[in-house]
Amino acid sequence: VQLQASGGGEVQAGGSLRLSCAASGDIFGINSWAWYRQAPGKQRESVASITPSGNVAYAASAEGRFTISTNNAKNTVYLQMNGLNVEDTGVYYCNVLATQLYSGNLRNYWGNGTQVTVSS
């Protein structure tokens, strides 16, 4: 299973970005998606998560500004980020908890990171 994230970039404070992450490979089913970020010098932290049925959860810092969504037919997760501020700067990683097609094993997968830089 591979995850390919895209959509990062540099924006000014107050701006918006939309991240995407597509999963491919031998996937039987997806249990949940999530976005994490890692700011310089800090540990990776959860930003938002979503289940295929649409149950969502947000970090307090993302609530009201970020929206996580999925296209289940395309095995893709999105993160719409509005009202960005300097504290949102970091590398954003997508994560999926998925069942492998042939082994039936439930595993956690990480995508490549995509850099988000917010300037003041």
Side-chain angles (χ1 to χ4, degrees):
V1 176
Q2 298 82 39
L3 299 179
Q4 182 65 47
S6 62
E10 183 169 354
V11 296
Q12 289 191 328
S16 299
L17 283 174
R18 188 188 192 216
L19 307 182
S20 300
C21 179
S24 60
D26 298 331
I27 300 171
F28 176 76
I30 291 177
N31 287 41
S32 65
W33 293 93
W35 285 98
Y36 286 73
R37 71 182 174 200
Q38 188 164 17
K42 295 187 177 180
Q43 290 189 335
R44 192 174 298 187
E45 62 178 356
S46 175
V47 175
S49 63
I50 187 170
T51 65
S53 61
N55 294 317
V56 299
Y58 295 97
S61 61
E63 190 79 55
R65 299 186 300 126
F66 294 2
T67 303
I68 188 171
S69 61
T70 59
N71 183 325
N72 293 330
K74 295 183 177 181
N75 281 343
T76 300
V77 65
Y78 306 95
L79 185 68
Q80 177 66 43
M81 303 185 293
N82 299 326
L84 286 162
N85 56 56
V86 174
E87 290 72 31
D88 296 315
T89 294
V91 179
Y92 284 69
Y93 297 91
C94 59
N95 169 274
V96 67
L97 184 62
T99 302
Q100 289 182 309
L101 180 61
Y102 299 110
S103 69
N105 293 331
L106 185 65
R107 288 190 57 186
N108 216 13
Y109 297 92
W110 291 92
N112 58 305
T114 185
Q115 177 70 44
V116 171
T117 302
V118 185
S119 57
S120 58

